[in-house]
Amino acid sequence: MLVSAKEMLTKAKAGKYAVGQFNINNLEWTKAILQTAQELNSPVILGVSEGAGKYMCGYTTVVGMVNGMINELGITVPVALHLDHGSYEGAKKCIEAGFSSVMFDGSHYPIEENIEKTKELVAICDELGLSLEAEVGAIGGEEDGVVGTGECADPKECKMIADLGITMLAAGIGNIHGKYPENWAGLSFDTLDAIQQLTGDMPLVLHGGTGIPADMIKKAISLGVSKINVNTECQLAFAAATREYIEAGKDLQGKGFDPRKVLAPGVEAIKATVKEKMELFGSIGKA
Ligand code: 13P
């Protein structure tokens, strides 16, 4: 059964570790992440961007697939199905479709409008027992056509949004979606520290988990980050393993063209990436 992310993140914040959000793109992705979480006894959050939701034939298809897999694979660790960077309308659609968690990304609105819309969603999510993530300070880079300029959030604005009763807060601290450029300045720990001082127990979310060095991840967790989003890194691992299979001509040997064989190395690569992240985030054995 899908669960809200509230309990797993409250525990993570108190226990000084982070739960990974891994974005899903299809059946193989979902299965690889769920099986790894179960094997390592870790809570997990499956992230779905609006673009990936459309690609997978809509939110009800995603809910059906994930619920089916939880049953058929005997998954007992806590799993939240979460809309990533949702619009106001997208969040409502996911809630209707049966997601257990949504993100409303109002960071591109003026703060008053972000507050207004977030507040409405808090009321809806509260009534249904769903978790809600809000965002202050756009996160840089491009994800699924959503381009952010990358900024450091204003801690006072973070406090205003946190006080609305959301479950977790994403705040820009110099992080970027996708690969980090050579000249990246790194995470702004001063900003993170100031945000955590004002928001107290609120679980903080670090987007753009791909390519952040391990020591920065650990420091971010020590300063209150309890959810870390990873997307690109699984995509790169999947693509590299698939390329290797094809370049070695394995699809031309025997029944090597069978999609279950073609996709298998990529699936193993996703599993290895998820395992590595769960080890780094400290969520293993915390289910
Ligand atoms: P990356 O693609 O950089 O790992 O970022 C993922 C993310 O933040 C999803 O919201």
Side-chain angles (χ1 to χ4, degrees):
M1 205 185 76
L2 289 171
V3 297
S4 133
K6 187 174 177 76
E7 192 181 331
M8 60 173 97
L9 293 183
T10 307
K11 281 190 190 162
K13 175 102 186 187
K16 292 223 176 281
Y17 60 91
V19 177
Q21 172 194 304
F22 300 96
N23 287 48
I24 59 172
N25 292 286
N26 61 15
L27 179 141
E28 281 75 16
W29 235 265
T30 313
K31 184 175 163 188
I33 297 163
L34 287 177
Q35 284 180 327
T36 307
Q38 183 67 24
E39 193 184 306
L40 301 176
N41 199 33
S42 168
V44 73
I45 298 169
L46 301 176
V48 179
S49 66
E50 293 198 352
K54 206 183 260 180
Y55 175 79
M56 290 185 276
C57 305
Y59 301 129
T60 57
T61 308
V62 177
V63 169
M65 175 179 73
V66 173
N67 276 329
M69 259 187 218
I70 290 175
N71 278 335
E72 298 285 345
L73 298 173
I75 304 293
T76 54
V77 296
V79 179
L81 179 59
H82 179 73
L83 171 67
D84 189 28
H85 291 284
S87 61
Y88 183 80
E89 293 72 27
K92 285 194 158 171
K93 276 193 192 148
C94 284
I95 292 168
E96 257 170 51
F99 275 51
S100 63
S101 186
V102 290
M103 172 181 191
F104 166 60
D105 180 355
S107 63
H108 51 286
Y109 291 118
I111 186 70
E112 297 76 22
E113 198 171 348
N114 191 357
I115 289 177
E116 232 15 78
K117 290 194 159 71
T118 302
K119 211 195 268 177
E120 286 174 36
L121 286 165
V122 166
I124 297 171
C125 290
D126 265 2
E127 195 172 323
L128 299 169
L130 310 177
S131 41
L132 175 66
E133 176 176 339
E135 177 170 324
V136 181
I139 288 150
E142 189 200 318
E143 190 177 64
D144 241 352
V146 182
V147 182
T149 48
E151 34 184 277
C152 281
D154 174 351
K156 288 196 207 82
E157 291 187 357
C158 291
K159 163 89 175 138
M160 284 154 80
I161 295 274
D163 283 350
L164 300 176
I166 58 168
T167 317
M168 60 272 208
L169 176 73
I173 54 166
N175 41 334
I176 302 173
H177 289 124
K179 289 183 183 174
Y180 284 86
E182 291 282 326
N183 60 353
W184 179 49
L187 297 177
S188 169
F189 292 111
D190 289 346
T191 309
L192 179 58
D193 190 33
I195 294 169
Q196 131 126 321
Q197 294 211 17
L198 285 182
T199 57
D201 288 342
M202 173 63 54
L204 302 176
V205 183
L206 181 61
H207 281 248
T210 294
I212 299 179
D215 57 331
M216 284 195 202
I217 293 279
K218 292 214 159 122
K219 186 155 184 200
I221 293 173
S222 78
L223 290 169
V225 163
S226 352
K227 172 176 179 280
I228 303 178
N229 295 3
V230 179
N231 183 19
T232 307
E233 207 155 322
C234 288
Q235 299 188 355
L236 292 169
F238 178 87
T242 308
R243 168 184 293 277
E244 201 179 306
Y245 182 90
I246 301 285
E247 283 184 349
K250 292 196 180 151
D251 57 317
L252 302 173
Q253 295 162 17
K255 284 273 177 75
F257 57 83
D258 180 331
R260 287 169 289 185
K261 291 204 166 72
V262 175
L263 297 174
V267 167
E268 288 311 311
I270 295 171
K271 284 184 179 172
T273 306
V274 171
K275 183 176 182 194
E276 190 189 304
K277 296 297 167 195
M278 286 179 166
E279 276 165 0
L280 175 62
F281 301 167
S283 70
I284 294 178
K286 299 290 202 296

